[in-house]
Amino acid sequence: MPPAQQRYDLVIAANRLPVDKVVSESGEESWQRSPGGLVTAMESVMRNQPGAWVGWAGGTGPAEEPFDLDGMHLHPVGLSVEEVRDFYEGFSNDTLWPIYHDVIVPASFHRDWWATYRQVNARFAEAVADVAAPGARVWIQDYQLQLVPALVRRLRPDLRIGWFNHIPFPPVELFAQLPWRGQLLEGLLGADFLGFQRQADAQNFVRACRQLLRVATKGDTVAVDDGSRRRVRASAIPISVDFKGMEDLAQQPSVVARAHELRESVGNPRVLMLGVDRLDYTKGIRHRLKAYEELLAEGKVSPPEVTFLQVATPSRERVEAYQHLRSEIEQTVGRINGDHGEIGAPAVHYLHHSYPREEMAAFFQAADVMLVTPLRDGMNLVAKEYVTCRYDLGGALVLSEFTGAWHELHQAFACNPHDIEGLKQAILRAINTPTKEKQRIMRSLRRRVSQHDVQRWAKRYLAALDAAPERPGTAS
Ligand code: ADP
Ligand code: G6P
C-alpha cells in the first residue's frame, strides 16, 4: 500500500468511472459522461458523500493518475487493448451479458476471455485494497466485477464488502451453462452482503449456490464453506433515480422551452411517442418498431398527427451482436420512413447520439407516450426518469413486464413486447385514455418514484451492508 496515498472510508468499484476519456481526431483529450444507468445512479449517490470511485476511464493503456471531479475522488484502472477486447467486449458483454439477459442472443464461451476476466478483476481488487481505509466499506458494482469481492477479502480482511447487481441474475438453468459458474459464485460469496434488483434475482442466486456449489442455504442467506462459518445475505434493493435533482432540472425554464422547441421541430404532432435506450438487443427496440409499423400499415396511427422519436445511445459497437442490431434497426427505420413518411414528416425520427442531461429532460417532457419495451432489463432507469420529469402530470408510460421497473410501476400501461398485438393495444391505450385518467396514473407513478429515490436506495443498501453479520474475529 503506498503510504502517501489518501485512503477512503467508502470505496465504489465499478467497471466504468463516471467519465470517459475521449481523444479527438486532432489528438485533443477531454472527459465526457459515461453511458448507462449504473453511472447515472452512482454519480448522484457519490456526489453527496465522501469516497473514492475505482473504475476504467474508457480508453486503452496505462491508468491515468487519480484525480478529483465534482467532489468525487476518481481512481482509474487501466486496460490494455487485449483486455478491452477479452474482458470488456468479450467475457463481460458477449458471455455474461447474454446469459444474464435470457440468452436473447447466444453467449460465446472462450477460455482466454475468462483468463483475462480473472486478471482484470484482480487488478480492480488491488486498486480497491490500495485506496480503502482500515475497516472501510467497499461497494462493488455489477457483473463485470464478480470475482472482486473474494479477491478483496483475501487482500484486506478488515473491509466490509458489498456487491450490487444492476442487471438480472439468471435462473440456474441458464447460469449453469457457464463453464466458470462455480468460480463466479465463490467470487461473489467473498462479500458480506449481495444486493439485487428484484427478489427473483436474489432467489436465483441463492438457488444457484445451493444447486451448483452444494452449500447450505436458509431463506435469503448462503452458508460460506471456507471455514469462516459466515453467512452471506442476498436481498432485493431496487435502484432508482435522483428524483429531486432530475425534477429540478426538468423545471428549469430553459429545459421547458427546449421541450416546446423539440415538439415544434418534429412538426408539433398531436402525439409524440419516444424511445430512449442504449442501442442494446435487450431493450426491445425492434419489437417496438414492428408494433409501430403495423399500426401505421393498419391506419391506426399516421404521421404527422402521430410521430415517433427514437433516441439510441451508441453502445458496445465492436461486439458483433450490437453491430447486427444497429444495422437491423437502421434498415427498419429506413423502410418505415420510405413506406409511411412524407416530405418533411418522417414516421420515425432516429437519433444515434448521446445528449446532455438537460436535453434528455426536455425529450421526456416533450413526449406524450414513452415506450419502454425491453425483453429483459434489471431495472430501466429511463422509465423512472420519464415519470420524474412529468411534474405537469402529462404523458403516458408504456412499460414492459420484463423490466425491474415494472415491479414498482404497475399502474403504467403494461406490455409484453413479444406479443406484438398486445403491444399495439398498449400503445393505443396510452394514446387514447382520457387525460384525467392518465393524470391520475402519472400521479401515482410519481409518488412511487419520489418516495423511493436513489438516495433512499443508497441508504438502504449501506444500512444492509452495515447490518451484515459480523465476521468471526473482527467484532470489536
Ligand atoms: P442501461 O443502464 O441499460 O443503459 P437504464 O435505462 O437503466 O439502461 O439507464 C440508461 C441511462 O442512460 C439513463 O440515465 C438515461 O437517461 C441515459 N441515456 C440513455 N440514452 C441516452 C442518450 N442518448 N444520451 C444521454 N443519456 C442517455
Ligand atoms: C448497464 C450496465 C452497466 C454498464 C452500462 C453501460 O447499465 O449495468 O454496468 O456500465 O450498461 O454499458 P457499457 O458497456 O458502455 O459500460
Side-chain angles (χ1 to χ4, degrees):
M1 265 176 243
Q5 181 160 287
Q6 186 168 357
R7 310 243 232 117
Y8 294 83
D9 290 323
L10 175 64
V11 178
I12 301 291
N15 179 48
R16 277 192 187 277
L17 287 174
V19 284
D20 266 4
K21 190 170 193 176
V22 274
V23 185
S24 72
E25 277 174 19
S26 61
E28 246 172 74
E29 294 181 349
S30 60
W31 294 97
Q32 79 176 23
R33 188 195 168 85
S34 308
L38 182 155
V39 160
T40 304
M42 295 314 297
E43 194 184 14
S44 18
V45 170
M46 291 306 282
R47 270 175 197 271
N48 298 318
Q49 50 187 323
W53 184 325
V54 171
W56 171 52
T60 53
E64 305 280 325
E65 284 302 312
F67 61 103
D68 290 331
L69 178 85
D70 296 338
M72 297 178 286
H73 178 74
L74 306 187
H75 190 96
V77 171
L79 297 183
S80 67
V81 173
E82 294 74 28
E83 286 169 341
V84 170
R85 186 190 63 206
D86 294 353
F87 158 74
Y88 169 68
E89 292 162 351
F91 198 78
S92 296
N93 290 315
D94 207 5
T95 305
L96 294 174
W97 184 268
I99 289 278
Y100 284 40
H101 289 90
D102 292 355
V103 202
I104 296 166
V105 305
S108 308
F109 301 119
H110 294 291
R111 281 164 280 188
D112 44 354
W113 289 3
W114 164 247
T116 311
Y117 184 82
R118 289 175 52 184
Q119 175 182 310
V120 173
N121 269 244
R123 188 170 314 140
F124 271 84
E126 278 157 24
V128 167
D130 280 355
V131 295
R137 299 190 284 190
V138 173
W139 191 358
I140 300 154
Q141 313 288 324
D142 233 353
Y143 60 101
Q144 302 94 339
L145 304 180
Q146 291 179 86
L147 304 179
V148 174
L151 293 167
V152 168
R153 171 178 291 270
R154 210 168 300 150
L155 292 169
R156 291 285 305 274
D158 58 303
L159 302 177
R160 189 156 276 263
I161 304 165
W163 177 80
F164 183 79
N165 198 30
H166 292 253
I167 68 173
F169 197 88
V172 65
E173 294 77 10
L174 290 180
F175 185 76
Q177 290 182 17
L178 285 162
W180 312 279
R181 61 203 194 182
Q183 289 104 308
L184 288 166
L185 294 175
E186 278 160 5
L188 292 175
L189 288 173
D192 294 292
F193 175 69
L194 299 166
F196 296 84
Q197 299 282 25
R198 297 172 312 150
Q199 204 51 45
D201 297 311
Q203 285 164 354
N204 285 345
F205 171 78
V206 171
R207 200 168 301 134
C209 290
R210 189 166 62 240
Q211 291 184 17
L212 302 173
L213 293 181
R214 305 217 169 275
V215 292
T217 66
K218 190 169 163 209
D220 62 356
T221 64
V222 179
V224 179
D225 204 10
D226 63 0
S228 67
R229 291 175 37 232
R230 291 186 301 122
R231 293 197 77 85
V232 179
R233 197 152 74 85
S235 296
I237 304 191
I239 201 166
S240 194
V241 294
D242 176 10
F243 187 87
K244 175 83 175 59
M246 186 113 193
E247 189 188 52
D248 285 352
L249 183 71
Q251 285 175 337
Q252 281 180 13
S254 58
V255 171
V256 177
R258 179 68 187 140
H260 286 296
E261 205 176 285
L262 282 169
R263 284 189 73 91
E264 258 165 43
S265 58
V266 294
N268 256 328
R270 182 175 72 83
V271 180
L272 173 60
M273 303 205 289
L274 176 68
V276 169
D277 317 76
R278 260 182 324 99
L279 192 42
D280 195 298
Y281 49 80
T282 58
K283 303 289 183 183
I285 304 172
R286 284 187 302 116
H287 297 65
R288 188 183 306 168
L289 286 171
K290 187 166 176 53
Y292 180 53
E293 187 173 21
E294 289 189 12
L295 288 172
L296 288 164
E298 293 161 10
K300 304 233 169 76
V301 298
S302 48
E305 199 209 14
V306 176
T307 193
F308 177 38
L309 169 60
Q310 174 65 51
V311 183
T313 329
S315 189
R316 307 174 190 168
E317 292 189 289
R318 282 154 33 123
V319 179
E320 212 179 302
Y322 289 78
Q323 293 170 348
H324 282 152
L325 176 76
R326 180 172 176 191
S327 67
E328 208 182 333
I329 298 292
E330 293 183 354
Q331 262 181 32
T332 308
V333 168
R335 188 183 61 234
I336 296 177
N337 280 333
D339 289 347
H340 303 283
E342 305 276 339
I343 289 177
V348 185
H349 300 258
Y350 171 76
L351 303 170
H352 185 237
H353 298 290
S354 258
Y355 293 93
R357 303 292 299 153
E358 293 76 9
E359 189 77 356
M360 299 308 294
F363 279 128
F364 291 138
Q365 254 182 64
D368 303 294
V369 176
M370 182 79 215
L371 298 179
V372 178
T373 61
L375 308 177
R376 177 60 71 201
D377 206 333
M379 172 51 64
N380 196 287
L381 291 182
V382 162
K384 291 186 171 180
E385 288 172 350
Y386 178 66
V387 164
T388 301
C389 288
R390 298 319 301 248
Y391 58 86
D392 60 346
L393 303 185
L397 174 65
V398 173
L399 183 59
S400 161
E401 294 163 14
F402 301 108
T403 60
W406 184 77
H407 294 264
E408 296 176 69
L409 304 178
H410 273 120
Q411 299 90 341
F413 294 89
C415 71
N416 165 6
H418 298 282
D419 169 12
I420 299 296
E421 277 312 319
L423 177 52
K424 284 155 64 181
Q425 293 313 316
I427 293 173
L428 291 176
R429 274 202 313 280
I431 294 176
N432 295 326
T433 296
T435 306
K436 272 222 152 8
E437 174 62 5
K438 285 201 267 200
Q439 288 178 336
R440 191 192 61 76
I441 294 172
M442 188 54 77
R443 191 176 290 115
S444 77
L445 297 176
R446 285 173 54 75
R447 191 176 310 124
R448 169 75 202 189
V449 180
S450 66
Q451 290 171 356
H452 295 79
D453 64 0
V454 75
Q455 284 79 16
R456 183 176 192 262
W457 169 76
K459 243 186 237 150
R460 277 185 70 199
Y461 186 93
L462 292 173
L465 177 58
D466 290 343
E470 284 293 337
R471 298 174 188 180
T474 60
S476 50

